């Protein structure tokens, strides 16, 4: 799951559209000895004793760093006018990636942190498809036609809730307004329980190359508690159908930390799902945010695994997936050795954006749809979150339905690249960052406890996150996040609520 290009809350049927510089750094920072890893047990380097200590030291709530600054820094100070001028200023030869957000599902799952709703009316789904095309037309009026595109993603929610005719029209618009590269990745999220008849063939025919499937867990008790009943056979049938339709890329999402999960149950799920040989797997930690997502209040708190159990579950899944031939990528992904994600990770070209880990090297992402986020050289902008006001804004004005955003300063860009390299490469060479290195003296000092705990090593300008430190990547990234301090000092109204989910 990404904080980000995802969904909303209102069911609104039938809404209408109108249409290198290395500079001096205190010597002690570079010459600090790197600490040997302590008591490694297994591939993930997590011993039981050390993990409980770590849980105490590294609790808290942290962002997932799919952007920097993170969405928590977005504000209404950046609106449609700013977004439009940023879009107009895009260099003519700048390639772009496209994201379409569809905030509807066929049924709602209790664990789900996305703001999604059930849109039963076909008219409403068709009308939403029209809105996506109209928004694309408005964006293209600002950035011009025929830009090169290598990634087009449909996320949600469940984008296959778009009727076939709506998806065909959107893809026709995309192909007429952009230059889709022959090796482009076209991807869509699917719910294996609700794949409309003929949809796999439709995706194959439209040139889709990758699908992403939600599974989460196969255990009946866990599924009961999550309100998501999905048999292994349903998932298998979906994978087979899309592969038979020519869509070769398959991602599957699993979650640990769900109600009633145990080390045994998550290991069993990971083993069975690995037998389907998806080329990529995401293994997310359940984000329990009932103060934001009311439906999660239906999950009894006492059924949730404790942080130390979560870490142990994560470690078991890691062991199973490695034994099944998968390699870990970044914080929470696994892929087969020949997969492009692994190649990107090994060559330092892996990227992290609002879609999570990606091979997409493009620096511009244009997001369409309610709550969609766009990434531009000057900053990030997000559309109005809920469907009805998004649709109203599209109908009432000719401009873009932007609600909020954040401008990126030079410091944000520097820290953003550093955090991205940490999250992707499990390390960063500060010498390769275009900055005065002494800028980071306080951060290098703040890494000391993580070094002591064997999560990080620092040798000269090189920061390396150890295998034991992988689950704590966000903690390492957070050391370089100057916005966190400002946000935590910002006054809040009412009872203080965390902005992010638990970091372990
Ligand atoms: C946007 S959802 C789409 C899932 C797809 N519509 C389906 O039903 O299979 C993408 C992924 O986000 C993850 N996700 C959703 N809620 C989450 C939560 N509360 N904590 C962790 N991951 C979550 C799940 O792994 C899910 O598969």
């Amino acid at each position: 799951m990404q904080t980000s290009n995802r969904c909303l809350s209102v069911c609104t049927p039938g809404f209408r559209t109108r249409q290198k510089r290395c500079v001096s750094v205190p010597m002690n920072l570079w010459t600090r000895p790197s600490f040997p890893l302590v008591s490694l047990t297994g591939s993930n380097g997590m011993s039981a004793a050390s993990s409980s200590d770590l849980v105490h030291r590294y609790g808290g709530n942290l962002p997932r760093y799919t952007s920097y600054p993170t969405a928590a820094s977005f504000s209404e100070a950046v609106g449609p006018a700013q977004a439009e001028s940023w879009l107009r200023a895009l260099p003519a030869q700048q390639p772009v990636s496209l994201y379409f957000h569809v905030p509807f599902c066929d049924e709602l799952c209790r664990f789900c942190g996305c703001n999604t709703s059930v849109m039963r009316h076909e008219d409403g789904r068709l009308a939403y498809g029209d809105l996506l095309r109209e928004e694309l037309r408005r964006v293209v009026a600002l950035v011009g036609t025929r830009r090169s595109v290598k990634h087009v993603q449909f996320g949600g929610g469940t984008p296959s809730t778009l009727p076939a005719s709506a998806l065909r029209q959107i893809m026709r618009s995309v192909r007429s307004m952009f230059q889709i590269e022959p090796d482009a990745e076209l991807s869509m999220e699917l719910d294996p329980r609700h794949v409309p008849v003929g949809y796999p063939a439709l995706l194959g025919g439209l040139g889709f190359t990758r699908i992403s499937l939600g599974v989460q867990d196969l255990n009946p008790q866990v599924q009961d508690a999550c309100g998501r009943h999905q048999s292994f056979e349903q998932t298998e049938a979906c994978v087979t159908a899309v592969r038979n339709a020519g869509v070769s890329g398959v991602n599957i999402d699993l979650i640990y930390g769900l109600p009633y999960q145990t080390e045994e149950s998550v290991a069993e799920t990971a083993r069975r799902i690995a037998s389907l040989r998806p080329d990529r797997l995401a293994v997310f930690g359940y984000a329990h945010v009932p103060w934001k997502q009311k439906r999660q209040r239906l999950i009894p708190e006492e059924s949730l695994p404790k942080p130390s159990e979560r870490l142990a579950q994560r470690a078991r899944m890691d062991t199973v997936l490695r034994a099944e031939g998968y390699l870990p990528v970044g914080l929470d992904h696994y892929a087969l050795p020949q997969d492009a994600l692994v190649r990107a990770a090994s060559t330092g070209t892996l990227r992290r954006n609002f879609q999570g880990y990606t091979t997409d090297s493009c620096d511009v992402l244009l997001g369409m749809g309610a709550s969609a986020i766009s990434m531009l050289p000057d900053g990030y902008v997000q559309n109005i979150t809920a469907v009805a006001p998004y649709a109203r804004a599209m109908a009432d004005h000719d401009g873009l339905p932007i609600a909020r955003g954040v401008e990126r300063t030079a410091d944000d860009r520097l820290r953003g690249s550093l955090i991205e390299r940490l999250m992707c490469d499990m390390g960063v060479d500060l010498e390769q960052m275009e900055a005065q290195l002494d800028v980071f003296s306080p951060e290098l000092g703040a890494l000391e406890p993580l070094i002591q705990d064997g999560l990080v090593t620092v040798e000269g300008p090189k920061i390396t996150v150890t295998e034991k430190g992988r689950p704590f990547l966000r903690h390492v990234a957070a050391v370089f996040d100057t916005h966190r301090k400002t946000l935590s000092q910002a006054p809040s109204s009412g009872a203080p609520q965390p902005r992010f989910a638990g970091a372990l």
Side-chain angles (χ1 to χ4, degrees):
M1 185 188 74
Q2 299 98 22
T3 316
S4 48
N5 275 333
R6 49 191 50 214
C7 33
L8 339 163
S9 53
V10 186
C11 176
T12 317
F15 43 75
R16 292 176 297 116
T17 53
R18 228 184 14 202
Q19 306 243 332
K20 180 173 194 158
R21 265 164 314 147
C22 176
V23 198
S24 71
V25 130
M27 270 311 284
N28 63 329
L29 292 173
W30 291 154
T31 53
R32 176 187 296 117
S34 42
F35 287 74
L37 297 188
V38 291
S39 58
L40 298 189
T41 57
S43 54
N44 55 30
M46 185 70 64
S47 75
S50 67
S51 82
S52 68
D53 292 347
L54 293 173
V55 163
H56 283 110
R57 286 205 279 280
Y58 301 97
N61 300 64
L62 288 176
R64 300 184 56 73
Y65 293 111
T66 53
S67 72
Y68 183 79
T70 68
S73 295
F74 292 7
S75 81
E76 287 171 10
V78 171
Q82 184 84 85
E84 286 167 19
S85 81
W86 289 349
L87 286 165
R88 268 198 213 95
L90 273 188
Q93 299 308 313
Q94 170 72 57
V96 297
S97 296
L98 302 175
Y99 175 75
F100 293 91
H101 190 82
V102 183
F104 308 127
C105 285
D106 293 281
E107 57 184 305
L108 300 182
C109 309
R110 272 174 226 152
F111 72 90
C112 186
C114 312
N115 297 317
T116 181
S117 63
V118 175
M119 167 72 79
R120 300 232 178 269
H121 304 260
E122 168 115 339
D123 282 358
R125 300 180 186 200
L126 286 167
Y128 187 80
D130 289 342
L131 288 177
L132 291 178
R133 279 192 301 132
E134 171 58 16
E135 193 186 344
L136 183 68
R137 189 195 65 73
R138 293 182 193 184
V139 169
V140 168
L142 297 165
V143 305
T145 55
R146 311 308 298 159
R147 283 183 188 267
S148 157
V149 169
K150 277 188 121 173
H151 274 75
V152 181
Q153 183 172 353
F154 286 75
T158 306
S160 59
T161 53
L162 277 179
S165 61
L167 181 64
R168 273 198 208 94
Q169 284 177 328
I170 292 169
M171 288 310 296
R172 208 174 295 134
S173 295
V174 168
R175 290 194 183 275
S176 72
M177 295 176 187
F178 295 92
Q179 179 69 44
I180 308 292
E181 298 302 326
D183 59 345
E185 179 168 296
L186 274 55
S187 66
M188 181 179 276
E189 286 176 9
L190 293 182
D191 177 348
R193 301 165 302 162
H194 298 283
V195 184
V197 175
Y199 228 86
L202 173 69
L203 294 177
L206 289 172
F208 277 74
T209 56
R210 180 168 296 285
I211 53 132
S212 184
L213 306 178
V215 170
Q216 330 311 348
D217 192 279
L218 293 173
N219 180 282
Q221 188 188 14
V222 177
Q223 292 194 352
D224 264 354
C226 292
R228 183 181 177 111
H229 297 100
Q230 176 178 336
S231 66
F232 174 79
E233 289 72 22
Q234 275 174 316
T235 303
E236 185 179 36
C238 182
V239 170
T240 304
V242 295
R243 283 179 173 154
N244 287 343
V247 184
S248 57
V250 175
N251 298 24
I252 293 187
D253 297 341
L254 303 178
I255 304 186
Y256 64 87
L258 286 169
Y260 304 111
Q261 277 182 323
T262 63
E263 283 184 60
E264 288 313 315
S265 76
V266 296
E268 175 66 7
T269 292
R271 244 189 315 269
R272 294 192 73 196
I273 291 302
S275 74
L276 298 174
R277 306 313 286 163
D279 23 36
R280 298 179 190 171
L281 285 145
V283 178
F284 298 125
Y286 170 53
H288 191 58
V289 287
W291 60 90
K292 269 193 194 161
Q293 194 50 273
K294 287 205 174 73
R295 66 178 83 112
Q296 292 187 344
R297 294 182 192 164
L298 295 168
I299 295 181
E301 302 269 338
E302 62 278 11
S303 67
L304 293 174
K306 306 269 170 296
S308 56
E309 292 169 290
R310 285 171 61 103
L311 266 185
Q313 289 174 8
R314 182 192 156 110
R316 273 299 285 278
M317 291 172 97
D318 180 89
T319 305
V320 168
L321 292 177
R322 288 177 193 248
E324 294 287 344
Y326 289 89
L327 294 174
V329 174
L331 175 70
D332 49 18
H333 276 55
Y334 291 83
L336 291 173
Q338 66 274 19
D339 188 82
L341 213 57
V342 170
R343 278 204 305 280
S346 62
T347 53
T349 56
L350 184 69
R351 301 295 302 269
R352 185 158 173 85
N353 67 20
F354 290 108
Q355 270 75 60
Y357 288 107
T358 175
T359 56
D360 185 3
S361 59
C362 191
D363 289 324
V364 174
L365 176 68
L366 305 175
M368 263 62 61
S371 83
I373 302 178
S374 296
M375 171 176 77
L376 301 169
D378 297 296
Y380 301 107
V381 287
Q382 181 171 29
N383 281 349
I384 296 167
T385 307
V387 180
Y390 162 79
R392 250 190 326 270
M394 287 290 292
D396 292 349
H397 313 283
D398 292 329
L400 298 179
I402 305 286
R404 60 190 79 84
V406 67
E407 185 163 8
R408 282 200 287 180
T409 64
D411 185 64
D412 291 335
R413 269 186 260 280
L414 170 66
R415 288 174 187 273
S417 329
L418 192 158
I419 288 173
E420 188 179 7
R421 292 328 323 146
L422 274 173
M423 296 297 293
C424 292
D425 303 342
M426 304 258 297
V428 65
D429 184 342
L430 294 181
E431 245 177 37
Q432 286 173 4
M433 296 278 121
E434 289 189 13
Q436 301 280 342
L437 291 179
D438 46 8
V439 163
F440 297 116
S441 304
E443 284 81 3
L444 287 164
L447 285 176
E448 189 63 41
L450 291 99
I451 297 170
Q452 298 283 355
D453 284 328
L455 308 179
V456 170
T457 64
V458 177
E459 287 172 50
K462 282 193 182 154
I463 301 170
T464 306
V465 179
T466 63
E467 200 48 51
K468 180 182 176 184
R470 192 185 286 277
F472 304 89
L473 262 175
R474 290 191 277 169
H475 297 80
V476 185
V479 167
F480 295 89
D481 177 352
T482 50
H483 286 263
R484 273 188 75 226
K485 220 179 278 162
T486 325
L487 286 167
S488 64
Q489 286 160 359
S492 63
S493 55
Q497 292 288 14
R499 282 183 163 88
F500 309 105
L504 288 180

